[in-house]
Amino acid sequence: MMSPFLHTALEAARTAQEIILHYYHGSFDIELKPDQSPVTIADLEAEQAIKNLILARFPEHGFFGEETGKTNPDAEYTWLIDPIDGTKSFVRRYPMFSTQIALMQGSELILGVSNAPAFGELAYAERGQGAFLNNQPLKVSGYTELKQAALSLGNIASLAASPQWTALGQIIPQVQRIRGYGDFLHYHLLASGKLEIVIESDVNILDVAALSVIVQEAGGVLTDLNGQTLNLASTSILAAASPELHQQVLQHLHYQWINAS
């Protein structure tokens, strides 16, 4: 049975989709934020539509949006929203962008919706209820050995500048193949049993909160690169199709950190 929270999140994602695709197939101006990342009217209007819908249903909830910031930050429930994760792809008419909607109760992420409308994938999950992609159940492969695993990397530039880069060089020859799908896609693929490891740095929690619930409800393991549970300050991801794989990769990375310190 779908909870009122998940029903609202899916409705919000579909409302945002109409706005986003309207501009995606039309025209829009592009502005640069102080960090030089792009923002468009589609980002702003989509987030406002999501915010209006959610807070109309749950006015006592908090809201943390990529474009509008925090509202009611001390609430028991807080919605985490990135209206267009992958705006750089969006502005170049490349379909690798998504809307990310997550719900946190206290410090625990309990719900996630990841909608990639131009790519044709809508994934969602709620704690204890499983994960779904286009209404079909999701399940990780469950592979336990590096030699079985497909690895996908995100934000490679920041990884290359970190001490973990040497450790990655030790991991890569051991896996079956390596890719760099990025954004929502490698998490959807991991939850679908089509790859086994995702390593990503320099992320914003708004980009990955919903995806973390989806991966874990599909049977995967997801932490930051220190092996810690995600929180609002998290900036990295280590996701795997089994606890065994997660532990093997974490041990490689941890060994490198010790020797780099």
Side-chain angles (χ1 to χ4, degrees), residues 38-230:
V39 63
T40 72
I41 190 171
D43 298 82
L44 300 172
E45 288 189 6
E47 181 166 315
Q48 194 61 55
I50 293 169
K51 185 175 184 178
N52 290 345
L53 192 156
I54 287 174
L55 295 186
R57 302 275 177 85
F58 309 107
E60 73 281 9
H61 285 193
F63 190 93
F64 181 13
E66 174 75 18
E67 309 305 337
T68 59
K70 295 181 179 179
T71 300
N72 196 14
D74 297 323
E76 178 184 2
Y77 291 93
T78 300
W79 294 86
L80 310 178
I81 311 297
D82 191 343
I84 304 181
D85 177 37
T87 302
K88 291 178 181 178
S89 296
F90 175 80
V91 300
R92 300 193 68 176
R93 304 304 202 280
Y94 183 61
M96 295 295 295
F97 61 87
S98 63
T99 297
Q100 297 294 317
I101 300 175
L103 179 60
M104 178 177 276
Q105 182 181 15
S107 60
E108 181 184 8
L109 289 161
I110 62 170
L111 176 154
V113 172
S114 173
N115 187 34
F119 199 79
E121 292 196 356
L122 170 61
Y124 61 90
E126 194 166 15
R127 187 68 68 200
Q129 301 299 316
F132 300 84
L133 177 64
N134 294 343
N135 296 319
Q136 297 301 309
L138 289 172
K139 185 175 177 58
V140 297
S141 70
Y143 290 167
T144 61
E145 299 182 29
L146 286 172
K147 66 182 180 181
Q148 300 173 295
L151 163 66
S152 183
L153 300 175
N155 293 325
I156 295 174
S158 57
L159 283 170
S162 71
Q164 296 98 303
W165 190 245
T166 300
L168 277 175
Q170 298 167 354
I171 294 169
I172 286 170
Q174 300 184 61
V175 300
Q176 185 187 79
R177 60 178 175 169
I178 181 168
R179 295 290 186 269
Y181 293 107
D183 298 310
F184 71 89
L185 183 55
H186 49 198
Y187 298 100
H188 285 199
L189 290 170
L190 174 58
S192 302
K194 297 174 181 177
L195 64 85
E196 284 68 47
I197 305 168
V198 173
I199 297 175
E200 192 160 24
S201 65
D202 195 25
V203 298
N204 185 314
I205 188 61
L206 301 180
D207 303 336
V208 295
L211 293 159
S212 73
V213 181
I214 292 164
V215 167
Q216 291 176 91
E217 282 299 304
V221 180
L222 188 146
T223 67
D224 68 11
L225 288 176
N226 293 308
Q228 301 299 309
T229 301
L230 296 194

